[in-house]
């Protein structure tokens, strides 16, 4: 859970870098002004970029610790693979961050950095779920699915959210206009609402399903509002702004942060749906849990 | 004794002739450069409409920045428009001009680039100074030249660079101070100018001929006019409208 919270802070720090246009305030990488350890004067854009780098380094260490701990203390092979996958993901993420600095923020690379960052957040949240008390102590329920299955809907939700993340990232990093992001937002609202409502109507008594579904609806509502706010402050009012203003920065950072929470909540709903509603496919995972419980 | 006087007179005469020749040569040389500075194309970049009020900028993010706190997108006085880059875009028929070795100097002072708009010939050095007590990073975002980004210590050594290809309105930013922005214009001829606050400009030394003259503003875009320059030069105006 601590790793997931740190990842969320890192996403906020990264969003602050982009919103304050500070991505290139430290021109070198992996060093900062030629040093790996010396703290530069934390002023102007440097305070955003260097803070982002320091939190990222800390998260890298945490991820190594999780991978080693999982190898030694957990008996579930798939969780060990996931922990090492998390480590591989954060290494890729660090390299993408370096490339985007050294290549002067190409939109595709910066967007990939945003997407992989939020994917790592989902992995960190998933590991927190998998190592939580409830996951280990509660056996999967074998509940009958209906068509369209919630499992399918959660995957569809993740797909439209990733498209949205790509479009938002490309707009934010000046590789695309804002209209595709806003158009796809309508599709995201429809698919996520459909998924969450189906989850709540069909499985109102399953806490593992109900809680992320409610969270998705609440976050979706907030996210649409923040999206409008970001559009107004950044695109309309801030078109000729000589520098990022507080309203532009706060709305865009909040929009990015809530977007990450929405993606992670959807990932959790998908995980729980596949655990509790897909009994036939969960034999291996249950077996692994039984081993841990033993 | 008479011989000595004669010799001295002859020597003085020779010296006198040499002096006259040297002065005449210098004047002739001056005349050549004067010819190079000969006819000019001058005029005014006019601005129609109301210029937006200067927008405040907040420099509190870096205590070392203590300059003016207003943005400088549109500068207009007496109906003229400043910071417009005016240059010969076409009509020189492939003539090549050697790039001056003297650098064009850009200063970072008060956490802003000075001047806000500058011109330079392709291959001519550009020297970036930092007069501030703040660290900066100089980051041009060219269209036809390689991108680069270098940090510069407070009052640090100058960064000297050249831009090899013509490239108009290159934004140069400082990512440490996002309000810092200037525009560098790289052209392959020496006939360019940046309009003053009242819109006045002059392209000096243009040989007689017919040219396309372009005026480019960072926000208001580009306008071109076709002019024919005679022995006495020519005048012409541009008019940009408020958007």
């Amino acid at each position: 859970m601590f790793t997931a919270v740190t990842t969320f802070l890192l996403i906020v720090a990264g969003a602050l870098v982009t919103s304050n246009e500070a991505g290139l305030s430290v021109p070198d990488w992996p060093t900062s002004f030629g040093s790996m350890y010396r703290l530069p004067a934390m002023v102007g854009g440097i305070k955003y970029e260097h803070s982002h780098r320091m939190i990222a380094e800390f998260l890298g260490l945490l991820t190594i610790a999780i991978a080693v701990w999982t190898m030694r203390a957990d008996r579930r092979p798939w969780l060990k693979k996931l922990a090492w996958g998390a480590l591989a993901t954060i290494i890729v993420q660090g390299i993408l961050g370096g490339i985007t600095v050294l290549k002067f923020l190409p939109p595709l690379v910066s967007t990939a950095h945003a997407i992989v960052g939020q994917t790592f957040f989902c992995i960190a949240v998933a590991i927190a779920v998998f190592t939580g008390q409830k996951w280990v102590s509660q056996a999967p329920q074998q509940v009958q699915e209906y068509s369209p299955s919630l499992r399918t809907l959660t995957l569809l939700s993740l797909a439209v959210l990733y498209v949205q993340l790509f479009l938002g990232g490309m707009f934010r990093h000046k590789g695309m206009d804002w209209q595709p992001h806003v158009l796809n937002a309508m599709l995201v609202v429809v698919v996520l609402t459909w998924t969450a409502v189906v989850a709540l109507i069909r499985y109102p008594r399953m806490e593992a399903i109900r809680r992320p579904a409610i969270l998705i609806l609440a976050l979706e509502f907030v996210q649409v509002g923040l999206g409008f706010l970001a559009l107004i402050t950044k695109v309309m009012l801030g078109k000729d702004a000589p520098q990022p203003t507080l309203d532009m920065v706060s709305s865009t950072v909040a929009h990015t942060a809530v977007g990450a929470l929405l993606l992670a909540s959807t990932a959790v709903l998908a995980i729980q749906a596949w655990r509790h509603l897909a009994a036939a496919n969960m034999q291996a995972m249950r077996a692994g849990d039984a081993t841990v419980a033993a | 004794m008479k011989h000595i006087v004669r010799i001295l007179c002859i020597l003085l005469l020779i010296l006198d002739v040499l002096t006259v020749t040297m002065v005449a040569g210098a004047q002739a040389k001056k005349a050549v450069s004067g010819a190079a500075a000969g006819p000019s194309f001058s005029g005014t970049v006019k601005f129609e409409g109301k210029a937006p009020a200067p927008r405040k900028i907040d420099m509190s993010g870096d205590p070392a920045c203590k300059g003016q706190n207003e943005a400088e997108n549109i500068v207009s006085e007496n109906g003229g428009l400043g910071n417009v880059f005016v240059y010969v875009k076409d009509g020189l028929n492939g003539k090549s001009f050697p790039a001056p070795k003297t650098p064009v100097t850009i200063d970072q002072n008060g956490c802003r680039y000075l001047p806000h708009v500058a011109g330079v010939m392709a291959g001519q050095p550009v020297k970036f100074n930092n007069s501030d007590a703040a660290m900066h990073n100089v980051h041009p975002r060219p269209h036809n030249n390689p991108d680069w980004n270098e940090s510069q210590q407070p009052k640090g050594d100058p960064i000297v660079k050249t831009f090899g290809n013509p490239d108009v309105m290159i934004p140069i930013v400082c990512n440490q101070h996002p309000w810092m922005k200037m525009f560098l214009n790289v052209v392959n001829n020496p006939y360019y100018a940046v309009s003053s606050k009242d819109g006045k400009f002059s392209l000096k030394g243009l040989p007689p001929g017919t040219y396309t003259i372009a005026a480019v503003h960072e926000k208001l875009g580009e306008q071109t006019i076709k002019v024919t320059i005679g022995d006495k030069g020519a005048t012409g105006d541009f008019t940009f409208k408020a958007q």
Side-chain angles (χ1 to χ4, degrees):
Chain A
M1 179 57 88
F2 182 64
T3 307
V5 171
T6 308
T7 310
F8 182 70
L9 287 179
L10 183 59
I11 287 172
V12 171
L16 279 168
V17 170
T18 304
S19 293
N20 283 290
E21 298 172 13
L24 295 175
S25 55
V26 181
D28 51 338
W29 184 89
T31 52
S32 289
F33 301 109
S35 170
M36 291 293 280
Y37 306 107
R38 197 172 56 237
L39 190 69
M42 298 293 269
V43 294
I46 300 170
K47 66 174 173 275
Y48 301 111
E49 173 63 16
H50 198 70
S51 301
H52 182 54
R53 292 185 182 195
M54 287 195 298
I55 299 171
E57 283 172 23
F58 178 62
L59 186 61
L61 293 174
L62 273 181
T63 312
I64 292 170
I66 284 178
V68 172
W69 175 83
T70 311
M71 278 298 284
R72 297 174 74 92
D74 201 288
R75 293 179 185 171
R76 291 171 288 185
W78 56 270
L79 189 60
K80 291 178 185 181
K81 285 179 187 165
L82 185 65
W84 286 103
L87 185 58
T89 306
I90 203 163
I91 290 170
V92 168
Q93 175 68 344
I95 292 170
L96 280 173
I99 292 173
T100 203
V101 166
L102 298 177
K103 297 289 177 188
F104 314 108
L105 309 180
L108 273 174
V109 180
S110 297
T111 303
H113 187 58
I115 291 173
V116 175
Q118 296 216 7
T119 301
F120 182 83
F121 180 50
C122 290
I123 295 172
V125 168
I127 289 175
V129 169
F130 296 146
T131 52
Q133 191 62 36
K134 281 184 183 170
W135 183 278
V136 175
S137 60
Q138 290 176 1
Q141 301 172 38
Q142 295 183 23
V143 178
Q144 180 67 45
E145 272 270 61
Y146 303 95
S147 183
S149 74
L150 185 60
R151 290 166 298 158
T152 307
L153 286 176
T154 54
L155 292 185
L156 184 64
S157 296
L158 285 172
V160 294
L161 277 173
Y162 265 99
V163 171
Q164 186 67 344
L165 187 51
F166 172 77
L167 296 174
M170 285 296 280
F171 163 57
R172 217 155 137 64
H173 296 289
K174 301 180 175 68
M176 195 182 270
D177 221 333
W178 56 271
Q179 291 90 341
H181 182 62
V182 172
L183 280 175
N184 193 61
M186 295 175 201
L187 181 66
V188 171
V189 167
V190 169
V191 173
L192 259 65
T193 307
W194 183 20
T195 305
V197 168
V198 162
L200 290 172
I201 289 174
R202 286 189 195 162
Y203 314 106
R205 294 185 182 179
M206 289 177 65
E207 194 190 359
I209 300 285
R210 193 181 68 243
R211 287 174 72 173
I214 291 172
L215 197 56
I216 287 171
L217 283 178
L219 289 172
E220 186 188 2
F221 181 73
V222 174
Q223 182 68 341
V224 169
L226 285 171
F228 272 114
L229 209 58
L231 193 68
I232 291 166
T233 56
K234 173 87 179 159
V235 178
M236 295 171 183
L237 300 178
K239 199 174 70 172
D240 288 324
Q243 70 186 116
T245 53
L246 183 63
D247 55 347
M248 286 159 66
V249 172
S250 49
S251 62
T252 49
V253 170
H255 189 56
T256 307
V258 173
L261 291 175
L262 192 55
L263 184 68
S265 303
T266 310
V268 170
L269 180 63
I271 288 165
Q272 298 291 13
W274 281 82
R275 184 180 202 215
H276 293 293
L277 308 177
N281 293 336
M282 296 302 294
Q283 299 293 340
M285 195 177 275
R286 283 212 312 278
D289 292 339
T291 314
V292 169
Chain B
M1 189 63 186
K2 275 183 181 178
H3 291 295
I4 294 171
V5 173
R6 265 184 203 164
I7 290 167
L8 274 173
C9 284
I10 290 166
L11 280 173
L12 279 171
L13 196 64
I14 292 169
L15 197 66
D16 194 37
V17 168
L18 278 172
T19 309
V20 168
T21 311
M22 281 171 70
V23 170
Q27 279 184 343
K29 208 171 180 179
K30 199 173 176 183
V32 169
S33 58
S40 67
F41 174 69
S42 57
T44 305
V45 183
K46 295 175 181 171
F47 183 67
E48 275 184 6
K50 193 181 174 192
R55 297 184 73 161
K56 296 278 182 194
I57 52 180
D58 177 13
M59 295 188 184
S60 60
D62 190 339
C65 292
K66 291 175 182 169
Q68 296 174 40
N69 61 351
E70 285 181 350
E72 48 191 342
N73 291 338
I74 292 181
V75 176
S76 178
E77 269 185 21
N78 303 325
L81 182 63
N83 285 337
V84 177
F85 184 70
V86 185
Y87 72 106
V88 175
K89 188 173 186 179
D90 194 25
L92 289 163
N93 303 322
K95 282 180 195 159
S96 63
F97 301 88
K101 291 185 177 155
T102 316
V104 168
T105 301
I106 312 286
D107 194 17
Q108 293 159 98
N109 197 332
C111 290
R112 58 176 45 203
Y113 284 109
L114 297 173
H116 183 65
V117 177
V120 62
M121 274 189 68
Q124 183 178 5
V126 183
K127 185 163 83 170
F128 294 91
N129 290 335
N130 182 6
S131 301
D132 282 327
M135 185 198 272
H136 292 300
N137 72 300
V138 183
H139 176 208
R141 298 199 300 234
H143 317 101
N144 302 323
N145 284 284
D147 210 333
W148 55 271
N149 178 29
E150 287 186 15
S151 60
Q152 197 173 24
Q153 292 298 318
K155 300 184 189 295
D157 293 337
I159 296 172
V160 180
K161 296 281 181 182
T162 54
F163 295 79
N165 304 313
D167 205 344
V168 173
M169 284 289 156
I170 301 173
I172 298 182
V173 299
C174 168
N175 302 93
Q176 296 177 24
H177 309 107
W179 62 83
M180 283 180 70
K181 191 183 232 184
M182 69 155 297
F183 293 88
L184 185 69
N185 299 274
V186 186
V187 288
N188 54 13
N189 66 72
Y191 309 115
Y192 60 82
V194 177
S195 66
S196 57
K197 284 181 182 177
D198 58 0
K200 298 273 191 284
F201 69 87
S202 180
L203 309 185
K204 287 178 179 157
L206 258 176
T210 300
Y211 302 100
T212 302
I213 310 288
V216 195
H217 186 268
E218 64 182 89
K219 291 272 176 199
L220 305 174
E222 180 185 283
Q223 289 188 14
T224 56
I225 55 173
K226 205 150 197 167
V227 294
T228 299
I229 310 284
D231 290 337
K232 293 181 180 176
T235 58
D237 296 336
F238 296 90
T239 302
F240 285 87
K241 291 182 179 172
Q243 290 178 346

